Amino acid sequence: MSEKQQQFGQGGLNDEIDAEQLDALVGLDETDVAWRKDFVGFDDGDAARIDDLEERLEETAPDVADGFYERLTSFEETTDVIERSPKGVEELKGTQRAYWTSLADGEYGPDYFRTRARIG
């Protein structure tokens, strides 16, 4: 797992999630990931193009996180969910920034997808 992927998905609710059970439900091993990449036509060229976006993703991460949480906190229903989180909005923005920048870290194997399943 990349360093960027380790920066998110480590929130206070992890004790309530059985990561092994979630991994089993998601069922993503090397074969599954390879099939899904083939299905959507994702290849090394795509990974390289995404890698080229890494600097831009890092530059825009603060604005993306601010805009995302500005939108979420404009609704009572999502504000209620956020208020139940053990993290405050600023910590959640940090997680969002790490998530955003990790999209281009170039490691698109089972760990990449498992981490996203835990976030989702």
Side-chain angles (χ1 to χ4, degrees):
M1 183 178 304
S2 77
E3 182 179 328
K4 288 180 186 174
Q5 288 180 34
Q6 291 175 12
Q7 293 176 11
F8 67 91
Q10 303 303 313
L13 298 177
N14 285 343
D15 293 340
E16 298 179 32
I17 296 171
D18 183 337
E20 289 181 22
Q21 182 182 25
L22 180 60
D23 287 349
L25 286 170
V26 173
L28 291 175
D29 60 17
E30 292 287 346
T31 303
D32 294 316
V33 169
W35 181 87
R36 289 166 193 246
K37 286 179 179 178
D38 186 51
F39 179 78
V40 299
F42 185 88
D43 61 19
D44 291 340
D46 296 312
R49 284 185 287 281
I50 293 171
D51 186 53
D52 289 343
L53 297 173
E54 184 172 15
E55 184 177 324
R56 183 71 178 132
L57 291 174
E58 288 182 11
E59 290 171 1
T60 60
D63 291 337
V64 168
D66 288 345
F68 181 70
Y69 279 94
E70 182 177 322
R71 178 76 174 155
L72 288 181
T73 57
S74 70
F75 296 94
E76 183 178 333
E77 296 85 356
T78 49
T79 299
D80 290 345
V81 172
I82 291 168
E83 288 174 349
R84 291 193 305 261
S85 172
K87 290 184 174 184
V89 171
E90 290 307 312
E91 289 177 288
L92 292 168
K93 285 181 182 181
T95 300
Q96 182 65 32
R97 287 189 299 270
Y99 172 83
W100 182 250
T101 59
S102 76
L103 292 173
D105 73 9
E107 296 181 22
Y108 305 108
D111 285 340
Y112 179 88
F113 293 97
R114 283 186 196 110
T115 302
R116 272 138 188 83
R118 287 186 190 115
I119 293 295

